[in-house]
């Protein structure tokens, strides 16, 4: 089966073609970063307009790169949610119309399931069962994964997602949007000894997260410091990043011990963070477990993961109805294993 994947949940327009025999044939991402940078964050209306402008040309370009005529497609997978309503609608309507015109099935994919399955595009892919740490701009979750669509939520953020906290602190530090990669770079110049930030919710049992207190702590630290001093800004970035990484480390350790899992999958935009990857690799090594990541370009939003998740479900016989819908909020645990509906 050859599946077209479309991702438009936030500020990346992305298209990919995945083939069951040949693997990933092509993928393209158009990042809207420049459109949103001057506003310091994603402007939903601008995102929708940019998706409308970019999606069809990107579709043509990707099909060409994949040497795939539209008539060779067996299905279309698109991100149904969670995400921004207007942005999701662009992808959903293009995917549904194309599938309808070609007489092939279209399937709405859960954005976080796509992130969770992205490491399966790598060699060697993780086998089930595993524990997944999903860390993106909108979500921070620990999930016990028994198979495709068989998800048990172990813990999640009660307030800000890890990526959101990175973005907000980056903004306070005067760094450009998106903040995560810029904050990581600034933290490289920082000294870890100057500040010690709290590790939220690690002193009590459970696997939930909370990053808003850490954000406030960082805000007060900056208020009381000379922020014109580059070293102080770098030290703050370092202390903040260390605290987030340590918190994720401790919760992953707890989750692996609690479930007895021997495989840890880390995905979502924040999984591109180098020091986080190093720390979690140390953890799995110490526990005799293995760690799996997507390649860096598939940590952040892309359509390869959507095409792949779509292929897994469509090739198992699942297909959606002809009606097109989106879901701006959509609990991951509502998903079921692939089924013919
Ligand atoms: O998965 P993603 O591309 O979009 C969502 O589904 O939200 O994640 C984007 C998030 C942003 O908050 C961004 O700042 C963060 O991932 N991010 C990083 C890094 N690269 C991206 N955070 C920390 N370090 C990075 N290197
Ligand atoms: Zn994402």
């Amino acid at each position: 089966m050859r599946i077209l994947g479309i991702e438009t949940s936030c500020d990346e327009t992305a298209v990919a073609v995945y083939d069951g025999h040949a693997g990933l044939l092509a993928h393209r991402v158009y990042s809207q970063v420049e459109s949103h940078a001057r506003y310091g964050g994603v402007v939903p209306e601008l995102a929708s307009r940019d998706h409308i402008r970019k999606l069809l040309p990107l579709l043509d370009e990707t099909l060409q790169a994949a040497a795939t005529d539209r008539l060779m497609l067996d299905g279309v997978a698109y991100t149904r949610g969670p995400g921004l309503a207007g942005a999701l609608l662009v992808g959903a309507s293009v995917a549904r119309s194309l599938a309808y015109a070609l007489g092939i099935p279209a399937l709405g994919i859960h954005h976080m399931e796509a992130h969770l399955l992205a490491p399966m595009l790598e060699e060697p892919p993780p086998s089930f069962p595993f524990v997944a740490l999903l860390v993106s701009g909108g979500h921070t979750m620990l999930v016990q994964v028994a198979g495709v669509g068989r998800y048990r939520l172990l813990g999640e953020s009660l307030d800000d997602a890890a990526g959101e906290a990175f973005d907000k602190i980056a903004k306070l530090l005067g760094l450009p949007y998106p903040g995560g990669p810029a904050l990581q770079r600034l933290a490289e110049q920082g000294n870890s000894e100057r500040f010690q930030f709290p590790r939220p919710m690690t002193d009590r049992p459970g696997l939930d997260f909370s990053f808003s207190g850490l954000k406030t702590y960082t805000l007060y630290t900056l208020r009381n410091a000379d922020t014109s001093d580059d070293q102080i800004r770098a030290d703050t970035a370092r202390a903040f990043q260390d605290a987030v990484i340590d918190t994720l480390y401790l919760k992953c350790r707890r989750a692996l011990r609690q479930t007895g899992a021997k495989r840890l999958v880390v995905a979502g935009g924040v999984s591109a963070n180098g020091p986080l990857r190093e720390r979690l690799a140390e953890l799995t090594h110490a526990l005799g477990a293995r760690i799996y990541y997507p390649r860096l370009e598939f940590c952040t939003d892309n359509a390869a993961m959507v095409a792949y998740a779509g292929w897994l479900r469509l090739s198992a016989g699942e297909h959606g109805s002809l009606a097109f819908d989106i879901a701006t909020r959509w609990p991951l645990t509502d998903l079921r294993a692939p089924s013919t509906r």
Side-chain angles (χ1 to χ4, degrees):
M1 270 190 134
R2 194 167 285 195
I3 306 298
L4 178 76
I6 295 179
E7 156 66 37
T8 62
S9 66
C10 191
D11 59 345
E12 258 98 25
T13 316
V15 184
V17 181
Y18 184 85
D19 182 280
H21 294 294
L24 185 66
L25 297 180
H27 85 100
R28 293 285 185 274
V29 181
Y30 166 73
S31 171
Q32 304 180 353
V33 163
E34 276 175 23
S35 311
H36 302 287
R38 73 183 111 138
Y39 302 102
V42 179
V43 184
E45 178 59 22
L46 275 185
S48 315
R49 283 191 228 168
D50 244 8
H51 287 309
I52 291 174
R53 221 163 40 84
K54 272 288 164 189
L55 185 53
L56 290 178
L58 205 64
L59 184 71
D60 286 338
E61 191 186 319
T62 313
L63 285 173
Q64 201 171 18
T68 298
D69 186 89
R70 287 174 193 203
L71 295 173
M72 292 160 76
L73 294 172
D74 299 300
V76 185
Y78 63 94
T79 303
R80 175 173 175 255
L84 302 170
L88 290 167
L89 278 168
V90 179
S93 49
V94 168
R96 281 280 171 210
S97 322
L98 189 63
Y100 186 73
L102 294 170
I104 56 176
L107 191 64
I109 296 296
H110 193 293
H111 182 76
M112 297 314 290
E113 175 176 68
H115 272 305
L116 188 155
L117 298 171
M120 297 181 84
L121 287 163
E122 308 305 333
E123 280 302 327
S127 45
F128 300 113
F130 55 75
V131 162
L133 171 69
L134 300 179
V135 269
S136 72
H139 296 84
T140 302
M141 289 192 261
L142 270 165
V143 187
Q144 191 173 12
V145 180
V148 177
R150 297 173 62 202
Y151 308 130
R152 191 165 83 86
L153 188 66
L154 298 169
E156 65 184 329
S157 179
L158 305 177
D159 39 60
D160 290 11
E164 192 180 354
F166 263 95
D167 292 340
K168 287 178 178 167
I169 297 306
K171 205 169 179 177
L172 288 178
L173 287 165
L175 298 171
Y177 166 85
L183 195 145
Q184 182 190 325
R185 279 193 298 277
L186 182 61
E188 278 160 21
Q189 319 299 322
N191 179 345
S192 60
E193 307 296 319
R194 184 185 317 234
F195 301 117
Q196 262 294 317
F197 285 7
R199 274 58 173 153
M201 294 184 71
T202 51
D203 55 353
R204 57 183 114 153
L207 293 168
D208 285 335
F209 304 89
S210 164
F211 291 108
S212 76
L214 175 61
K215 206 179 57 189
T216 311
Y217 192 95
T218 314
L219 173 71
Y220 285 130
T221 304
L222 281 170
R223 270 201 196 149
N224 294 321
D226 173 11
T227 46
S228 64
D229 181 332
D230 287 346
Q231 193 55 50
I232 289 186
R233 290 171 59 252
D235 293 347
T236 310
R238 176 66 190 262
F240 168 79
Q241 181 175 271
D242 283 354
V244 174
I245 292 176
D246 232 25
T247 306
L248 296 174
Y249 175 98
L250 291 168
K251 294 289 162 99
C252 283
R253 186 170 70 186
R254 224 177 257 178
L256 288 171
R257 284 188 176 152
Q258 191 175 307
T259 58
K262 286 290 170 206
R263 285 175 285 272
L264 177 67
V265 157
V266 190
V270 183
S271 69
N273 185 277
L276 173 69
R277 290 167 90 103
E278 282 164 31
R279 259 331 275 298
L280 293 179
E282 283 165 25
L283 170 68
T284 46
H285 182 74
L287 293 178
R290 282 198 69 165
I291 189 157
Y292 300 85
Y293 295 106
R295 71 195 79 164
L296 280 180
E297 61 181 334
F298 294 165
C299 288
T300 44
D301 289 348
N302 65 89
M305 64 183 191
V306 177
Y308 178 70
W311 171 75
L312 276 176
R313 286 184 171 275
L314 287 162
S315 62
E318 182 165 333
H319 46 83
S321 71
L322 277 180
F324 88 76
D325 61 343
I326 57 156
T328 52
R329 288 170 189 275
W330 187 6
L332 183 69
T333 44
D334 280 1
L335 296 183
R336 296 284 166 263
S339 62
T340 32
R341 272 185 264 158

